[in-house]
Amino acid sequence: MTTSTVPAAPGVPAASAAPRGDVRTRVGRAAVAAGGGLLLGVLTNLAQGWLPDTWQQLANSGAVWSAVAFAVGAVLYRHERLVQAASGGAVAEVGLVVGYYGYAEFGRDGAGSLFFPLVWLGLGLVAGPLFGAAGWWWRRGLDVRRRVLSLGAFAGLWGMEGLMYAVDLGYMPEAYACLALFVLIPLLMARDHKERALTLGAAAVCGLVAYGAVEVPLQMLSA
């Protein structure tokens, strides 16, 4: 018995499976994002015991954790597609939450209620893709608008944290440190003077929006 194959129609390329090397590379990047997030989650928990006094809260702040997703998109997934950078950011944020609360549960006195781990997991599944994509846009964006928006959103996180420390907690040294990063990120990471000015403006708007949408509800939940 013989078998035959039907040739592809003229002008239509034959379908082929994804190369194994590409699959291994993508799995490897996802593993690095997950493992890095897990390790950094443990380290941020430990840092709360290492840092003095009111600086302890900065270790596991939303801005610090979102910076991990931004770095994953900008560095680890810079040669991949946008959707993969977003998924990599989500994987890193899940790793951070699991590492932080896993160490609290098994390395300390227990994580307590599942309420806040689930809250942070939900926030991570939103912030991770957003800032993974933002890092990719900043690194590979060909138009000014996307670069400004992505870097402005990242810098705006530090503005949000600065407002929280100054207004809600009254921790002024920490507020000044966050606000310094709020200014320095556009100045050092934007491509030219015009983009620096536009990014600072976008960061101011993003910081205020994030403060109202994230910090105010979290303060209400923590009360």
Side-chain angles (χ1 to χ4, degrees):
M1 179 176 179
T2 60
T3 61
S4 62
T5 58
V6 179
V12 178
S16 60
R20 290 183 180 180
D22 289 350
V23 174
R24 287 197 295 268
T25 299
R26 291 172 184 174
V27 171
R29 287 196 177 100
V32 170
L38 193 69
L39 176 61
L40 289 170
V42 173
L43 288 176
T44 54
N45 193 304
L46 290 170
Q48 289 188 300
W50 299 336
L51 295 173
D53 301 328
T54 56
W55 289 92
Q56 296 173 358
Q57 186 167 341
L58 189 61
N60 70 323
S61 70
V64 170
W65 282 19
S66 296
V68 176
F70 188 91
V72 164
V75 179
L76 189 61
Y77 284 87
R78 66 187 183 277
H79 298 306
E80 297 289 345
R81 294 183 299 163
L82 176 63
V83 66
Q84 293 167 338
S87 63
V91 168
E93 294 301 292
V94 170
L96 280 161
V97 174
V98 172
Y100 180 87
Y101 285 103
Y103 185 80
E105 179 66 28
F106 299 107
R108 294 190 184 273
D109 298 328
S113 168
L114 285 175
F115 178 72
F116 276 105
L118 291 175
V119 168
W120 281 106
L121 182 62
L123 289 172
L125 289 173
V126 175
L130 286 176
F131 287 97
W136 190 93
W137 264 353
W138 167 72
R139 185 68 179 263
R140 297 193 57 182
L142 299 178
D143 62 282
V144 173
R145 182 177 59 183
R146 291 182 181 181
R147 292 198 302 268
V148 166
L149 180 60
S150 60
L151 195 57
F154 180 46
L157 282 176
W158 298 98
M160 174 194 74
E161 293 280 344
L163 284 173
M164 184 267 293
Y165 282 117
V167 175
D168 298 319
L169 301 177
Y171 299 163
M172 296 314 297
E174 292 84 351
Y176 293 144
C178 290
L179 292 173
L181 288 170
F182 166 77
V183 174
L184 287 173
I185 287 170
L187 293 181
L188 297 177
M189 296 176 66
R191 298 191 182 186
D192 55 39
H193 294 316
K194 177 182 178 181
E195 286 193 28
R196 293 184 185 102
L198 291 172
T199 303
L200 278 170
V205 174
C206 289
L208 290 172
V209 171
Y211 179 78
V214 178
E215 285 297 342
V216 171
L218 282 176
Q219 293 296 326
M220 294 171 65
L221 288 172
S222 302

